[in-house]
Amino acid sequence: MAAPGAHRRSPRFTIIVMVVLSITVITLDARDVPVIGAIRRGVMRAVAPVGDAMSSATTPFRNAWNGITNYGDLESENQRLRKQLDALSNKDVLNSDAEEQVKRLKEQLKVPFAPDIPKQVAQVSSGNFSSFDDNTAQIDKGSESGLKVGMPVVTAAGLIGSIEKVYVNRSVVRLITDPGVNIGIKLKSDDLGVGRGTGAGKPWLVDRGIGLGDDVAKGDPVTTSGLERAKFPAGLPIGTVRSITRNQADQIQILEVNLVADLSRLDYVQVLLWEPAP
Amino acid sequence: MTDWTMVSRWCLFVLTMAVLQIGIAPNFMFFGVIADFMLLAAIAAGVAAGPQRGAVVGFFAGLAYDLMRPGPLGLSALAFSLVGFAVGSLLVSVLQVRRWLAAGIVVVATMVGELTAAVGAQLFGGETLANPRLWTIVVVTGLVNGALSFVVLPVARWAEGANAMADGGGMLGTIDG
């Protein structure tokens, strides 16, 4: 028998063509050629319902699977929920019906900050199809709901990211845990600095702008600075200072920040209809 | 002359893998890692049908993957095409590959493919190499794809039809006893 693939005429020619095609597509995408964007939007529209439908259909199996593979996490989650249940039972919430729960969900969505900025509620949908996309989330609202690239995304607790890509009825949110996202921040003492993510599940750091003499303590709130041309409006809660490291060489203090929003359990979010200055 | 039956089978194969990637992979994670069916499609094509098919199927599987995701379009197409071609080229001089060895090749090729995609994404402004779970993703995806290869490789061979590298003592026709 001939060696596998030996009958092929020109595999080298084929791979050269494929590489050239790939580089062409990468270049066209980088230049925002309209036809590429249109194809992408079309595919996203087609993919979204498939992903959502299969996600719903596989829910019981997924729950069982998670029970098997994440037993340790489930135990700690169970403990956390028991504590919440204890707290809630004191408020006679246990007797509430579904309507009451929806009402409470709506209350949760009442964002206590940025009162003057109009908001759009969205639900985090299925959509991360790769392990390398853990610093992004997809939401079920897009340009038809008035969303635009750069708009901040928050939960009732605080900032979670900003819109990176917008399709007709879907958007991609770049989370603040992404190491490429730098945010101007303000401390309780009005000192200004710049913070950034270091990856999902890793500390959020403020490692620029906070001098050794600046007044900062553990537990201090960290909010967006909203300075001129900032990517976010002022006063959006980011987190609280967890630890402070004094860096004598660079004459700065490096702050490790506990994010106020739980990015691992995103469900409903709100998009602030606010666009950063170009 | 183009064998349209074979082309349609490969289209069906890639489409099926895409549906599995969208609907199954994110819902059934291993150690928090999402299986990579699209890369497996490219590797399976290389193993079952040689470098040419590996390159072409890898390109289209990668392109489909890129279209579903927020990253640069064409990056996975490039990486998967190269991996499919490399796997096919590696095996082209081998007359027989036992099933366990084929699975081992899929494991290694998947790890190389994931790293190639991560390096590519890093070059285009991503922070994939700084991802604290990079090695977990690479290793777990490799092992999962290796296990899935026992099912996917025969399907890839079916897609290739009579040209599949399997007849008698061919690589997929040989069963490791």
Side-chain angles (χ1 to χ4, degrees), chain B residues 13-119:
Chain B
F13 176 72
V14 172
L15 192 66
T16 305
M17 297 299 263
V19 171
L20 291 173
Q21 187 69 54
I22 296 163
I24 300 296
N27 296 317
F28 296 91
M29 293 192 277
F30 299 82
F31 302 100
V33 174
I34 299 172
D36 202 332
F37 283 93
M38 304 311 277
L39 177 55
L40 180 57
I43 295 167
V47 172
Q52 202 163 18
R53 195 78 69 238
V56 175
V57 172
F59 173 79
F60 285 105
L63 194 63
Y65 202 19
D66 285 332
L67 282 168
M68 307 168 195
R69 299 168 55 199
L73 189 67
L75 209 55
S76 300
L78 178 61
F80 292 4
S81 186
L82 289 172
V83 170
F85 177 80
V87 170
S89 300
L90 185 73
L91 297 182
V92 82
S93 58
V94 182
L95 288 177
Q96 293 189 355
V97 175
R98 291 174 190 274
R99 237 173 227 189
W100 284 102
L101 181 58
I105 289 166
V106 170
V107 171
V108 174
T110 300
M111 290 177 177
V112 172
E114 291 290 336
L115 280 175
T116 307
V119 169

Side-chain angles (χ1 to χ4, degrees), chain A residues 29 32 37 40-41 44 127-128 132-139 141-143 146-154 159-168 170-182 231-232 269-272 274-276, chain B residues 66-73 121 124-128:
Chain A
D29 183 52
D32 282 332
R40 211 165 192 169
R41 282 193 293 276
M44 290 296 278
N128 278 352
F132 287 120
D133 296 337
D134 54 359
N135 287 312
T136 60
Q138 289 199 27
I139 56 174
K141 295 282 163 58
S143 57
L147 271 53
K148 291 180 181 169
V149 171
M151 287 181 166
V153 184
V154 300
L159 180 67
I160 65 160
S162 61
I163 302 284
E164 182 181 66
K165 284 201 165 101
V166 178
Y167 305 98
V168 177
R170 194 157 281 242
S171 299
V172 176
V173 179
R174 177 66 56 184
L175 301 176
I176 59 174
T177 48
D178 189 307
V181 176
N182 294 303
K231 286 185 282 188
F232 298 98
V269 298
Q270 299 218 47
V271 181
L272 303 185
W274 178 96
E275 288 181 81
Chain B
D66 285 332
L67 282 168
M68 307 168 195
R69 299 168 55 199
L73 189 67
F124 280 84
E127 296 287 343
T128 42

